[in-house]
Every structure is written in structure tokens, then in C-alpha cells.
Amino acid sequence: MEFLVNIRITWPDAMDPGLKAAVSEEERRRAAELAASGNLVRMWRVPGRTENWGLWRAADPTELHTIISALPVWPWMDVTVHSLADHPVDPGPTV
């Protein structure tokens, strides 16, 4: 299944800068692993915000939740998930 996922990150004002840097670095590493496994297909940044939209793949909503809730930034994330269905005029994946 494919999912369109919006993630907004809210870092606490009093967060230790070292912790924030470490969590951010771990998040980038984990995102690379998820891209390599095919779970994270695409990712777009929302300009000027700590927010992104991503195209994700998982077997079902439960697997997607397991993947996203294990992300290092999870405690600071607000997530909205939209399940996607095939459309009859979809031109297919572009390369």
C-alpha cells in the first residue's frame, strides 16, 4: 500500500542543541535505510517550515505506524496519514 504522509516537527524551545543534532543525524540515517528498503519512496520539504510530505509504502496501516513511530524524531512529530488507492488514469511511476 502507498500512503501520503505529512509530518510536522515541533522541537521544544529548551531542547539541548546537542540532543537535537544527534536526533536529527539519527533521523537522516534511518530515513536512508527506509529509502533503501523501499518504505520511503519520496520526500518533499515544505519551504520555511519544519514540515514535510512523503510517499511511503507499507504492507498495511499497522506496518506504516510501526515504521513511523520508531523514527528517532517521533516524540516531536505530528503526523497525518492519507491512504492512497489506484486511479484508472494514473500514468504509472516516472523514472
Side-chain angles (χ1 to χ4, degrees), residues 1-6 53-56 58-62 64 80-86:
M1 294 184 71
E2 291 184 323
F3 302 88
L4 186 61
V5 179
N6 176 251
W53 284 90
L55 179 61
W56 293 74
D60 55 41
T62 299
L64 180 69
T80 304
V81 176
H82 303 274
S83 298
L84 301 174
D86 292 336

Side-chain angles (χ1 to χ4, degrees), residues 19-95:
L19 174 60
K20 182 178 176 182
V23 170
S24 295
E25 182 178 323
E26 180 63 17
E27 184 78 6
R28 284 188 290 279
R29 186 192 65 73
R30 183 66 184 127
E33 292 172 356
L34 291 168
S37 71
N39 294 111
L40 177 55
V41 180
R42 296 288 310 272
M43 181 71 65
W44 298 270
R45 178 187 311 246
V46 176
R49 301 183 66 150
T50 53
E51 180 178 350
N52 64 69
W53 284 90
L55 179 61
W56 293 74
R57 286 192 185 123
D60 55 41
T62 299
E63 181 185 35
L64 180 69
H65 176 77
T66 299
I67 292 167
I68 291 176
S69 65
L71 291 170
V73 180
W74 171 254
W76 303 281
M77 292 169 52
D78 178 22
V79 180
T80 304
V81 176
H82 303 274
S83 298
L84 301 174
D86 292 336
H87 193 286
V89 300
D90 178 18
T94 58
V95 183

